[in-house]
Amino acid sequence: MEYNIKNAYCKRVWDDISTRYADQDHFLQAAGLILETIGPVVDKMPDLEKYAVLERFVEPERVIMFRVPWTDDQGKSHVNRGFRVQFNSAIGPYKGGLRFSPEVNLDVLKFLGLEQTLKNSLTTLPMGGGKGGSDFDAHGKSDAEVMRFCQSFMTELYRHIGPDTDVPAGDKGVGGREVAFMFGQYKRIRDEYTGVLTGKGLAFGGSLARTEATGYGLIYFAECMLKKMGTDFKGKKCLISGDGNVAQYAAEKIIQLGGTPITLSDSSGYILDEEGITQEKLEYVKAFRAEHKKVDEYVKKFPKAKFFKGEKPWGVKADLAFPCATQDEIYLDDAKKLVANGIKLVAEGANMPTRAEAIEYFQQNKVVFAPGKASNAGGVAVSGLEMSQNSERLSWSFEEVDRKLKDIMTNIHDNAWETARKYATEGDYVAGANIAGFVKVAQAMVAQGLV
């Protein structure tokens, strides 16, 4: 993918990193889209080049890599790789999830950390950007094996994190079970009870509405987009990929707002329910997902639905699309199918699920598109609220957290919209989110000097 980077300073930085990190495709896509869009504001901030802000902005402040030895239930020893990419702390302690998945490597975590830096900035909460994880795969592992892995992982990670330094959370492959195991190990080693991890259980410092936050936040953001388009969710058919927390709670909020989700998916394929996924059906999805069963369980209970093995849901006729599974879900061919099938809006519930060429195709064909750094910021927003509750030794009600979440997502939308109108093209949420998130971080970096 070639990026149309017009600003000379941005282009020089791009040429440098695209040569140095030629093997890091995901990181380069994230950086390329940012450098392509922030040119107009870079032109107005001459101190950025003077203080080498862009060169520093695209490099993590610190990359930590370590081995994670653990023993399975048969006594066999294994070694995985652990990472923490502490990308940028200009506006607050590093904040970002831990991902346990075979796909985890430095390329993936650098792209996630860079995106997280702008995402956290957009929330307006005092959080820097970071990401981490391991190539460990929990599928098929017992609770005892997962516990031993998490304890070994935290035995190294603990020395690099803290409530005012770096506050990890869950991500793909890291849910409440894993967070609890890691929190317990951190507490045991440090002999202190602090809010060093978010996504904790409600019994030990977690926040109500955290599980729902990313999915609900995505739909709150999309609701704002639809309002700008002069419409709402009522009567809209919606495609959703994924079947985890983000997809489930995006579907739930769509149903509450009068829309009709008709697809869910996982790595094995997707289900299509033309009659619509109701709240009752969604509760069944939550139940079988809790048992780690595949999405085709749905058609066993609801035989009028169809399962398409090994396929993605982007060829189905609908109004709105929400990719909520993982990165690299929508390529150019998928984008062409979505446009041909009448999709008018795409909002990312996952991190960078849409390839750059697909984003360009959406924009050329008047599909309103929201990047994940803006539309899926609800999860980290409520993580930030969890940090506040932990610091104050408070626990807010579900309704209070949900209200704050909706306010944050509305503000992110309005900031991205107004910034795009000021610096780029009205309705270009990619440029608006990138510029709005970048300006705050860049101003802090300039003010703090060469650190």
Side-chain angles (χ1 to χ4, degrees), residues 119 121-125 217 220-222 224-225 228 373-375 377 381 403-419 429 432-433 436-437:
K119 182 189 299 186
S121 173
L122 287 168
T123 69
T124 74
L125 299 172
Y220 289 146
F221 192 98
C224 294
M225 296 169 72
K228 286 290 185 183
K373 65 173 66 70
S375 54
R403 184 174 66 253
K404 291 177 185 291
L405 168 64
K406 187 170 185 178
D407 288 345
I408 289 171
M409 297 310 297
T410 300
N411 289 337
I412 292 173
H413 171 273
D414 294 348
N415 191 8
W417 174 274
E418 291 299 329
T419 302
Y429 290 99

Side-chain angles (χ1 to χ4, degrees), residues 74-385:
Q74 286 70 49
K76 183 179 179 181
S77 298
H78 302 265
V79 179
N80 285 88
R81 284 136 296 281
F83 302 86
R84 188 65 179 171
V85 176
Q86 296 177 329
F87 215 100
N88 193 295
S89 61
I91 62 174
Y94 308 108
K95 183 82 190 80
L98 296 169
R99 176 175 293 195
F100 292 170
S101 176
E103 78 207 15
V104 166
N105 57 39
L106 193 55
D107 175 28
V108 169
L109 294 179
K110 281 179 64 180
F111 112 68
L112 290 168
L114 179 58
E115 290 278 291
Q116 195 77 46
T117 298
L118 296 188
K119 182 189 299 186
N120 293 357
S121 173
L122 287 168
T123 69
T124 74
L125 299 172
M127 302 181 294
K131 210 74 178 183
S134 173
D135 54 5
F136 174 76
D137 186 357
H139 289 98
K141 307 291 193 304
S142 70
D143 285 349
E145 288 172 328
V146 173
M147 180 183 70
R148 288 193 290 273
F149 174 82
C150 289
Q151 290 173 340
S152 180
F153 183 84
M154 184 54 73
T155 297
E156 174 59 34
L157 184 65
Y158 89 92
R159 70 189 77 241
H160 307 292
I161 63 176
D164 298 312
T165 304
D166 185 349
V167 184
D171 192 73
K172 182 179 179 183
V174 178
R177 174 184 63 171
E178 290 77 16
V179 169
F181 288 150
M182 288 188 283
F183 180 76
Q185 184 73 349
Y186 180 89
K187 183 165 60 73
R188 181 180 300 114
I189 294 170
R190 295 295 295 263
D191 192 26
E192 61 183 33
Y193 201 108
T194 61
V196 70
L197 286 158
T198 56
K200 299 184 294 298
L202 295 176
F204 53 99
S207 175
L208 288 162
R210 177 60 189 90
T211 303
E212 296 86 352
T214 308
Y216 277 20
L218 168 66
I219 303 308
Y220 289 146
F221 192 98
E223 186 179 25
C224 294
M225 296 169 72
L226 289 169
K227 187 175 181 180
K228 286 290 185 183
M229 297 165 67
T231 186
D232 57 29
F233 270 100
K234 290 174 183 162
K236 301 287 193 303
K237 288 188 174 183
C238 303
L239 307 181
I240 300 175
S241 68
D243 67 344
N245 276 349
V246 181
Q248 291 172 21
Y249 289 105
E252 183 166 284
K253 186 56 66 173
I254 288 169
I255 293 166
Q256 292 174 8
L257 295 176
T260 305
I262 59 173
T263 68
L264 292 169
S265 73
D266 63 16
S267 58
S268 67
Y270 77 92
I271 59 104
L272 170 63
D273 189 337
E274 292 281 12
E275 294 182 348
I277 299 169
T278 63
Q279 187 64 43
E280 177 188 359
K281 294 174 179 177
L282 190 57
E283 293 304 320
Y284 180 68
V285 173
K286 293 177 185 179
F288 74 67
R289 276 291 288 120
E291 297 176 3
H292 305 290
K293 294 181 179 178
K294 291 293 187 180
V295 75
D296 62 350
E297 284 291 317
Y298 187 94
V299 299
K300 297 175 184 177
K301 176 81 169 177
F302 307 107
K304 289 185 179 180
K306 298 176 182 177
F307 174 66
F308 295 85
K309 185 177 180 179
E311 296 186 33
K312 296 182 284 188
W314 311 130
V316 178
K317 189 172 181 61
D319 303 295
L320 316 173
F322 300 96
C324 296
T326 189
Q327 70 266 11
D328 297 340
E329 291 187 67
I330 300 178
Y331 287 80
L332 180 58
D333 286 346
D334 301 309
K336 290 179 178 179
K337 291 177 184 177
L338 286 162
V339 171
N341 279 289
I343 293 294
K344 301 300 181 188
L345 177 151
V346 176
E348 293 185 329
N351 291 303
M352 211 167 74
T354 312
R355 299 294 298 177
E357 58 273 19
I359 296 173
E360 184 178 25
Y361 188 81
F362 286 143
Q363 293 175 330
Q364 289 171 348
N365 287 273
K366 311 302 181 188
V367 173
V368 183
F369 177 84
K373 65 173 66 70
S375 54
N376 82 359
V380 75
V382 173
S383 282
L385 298 178

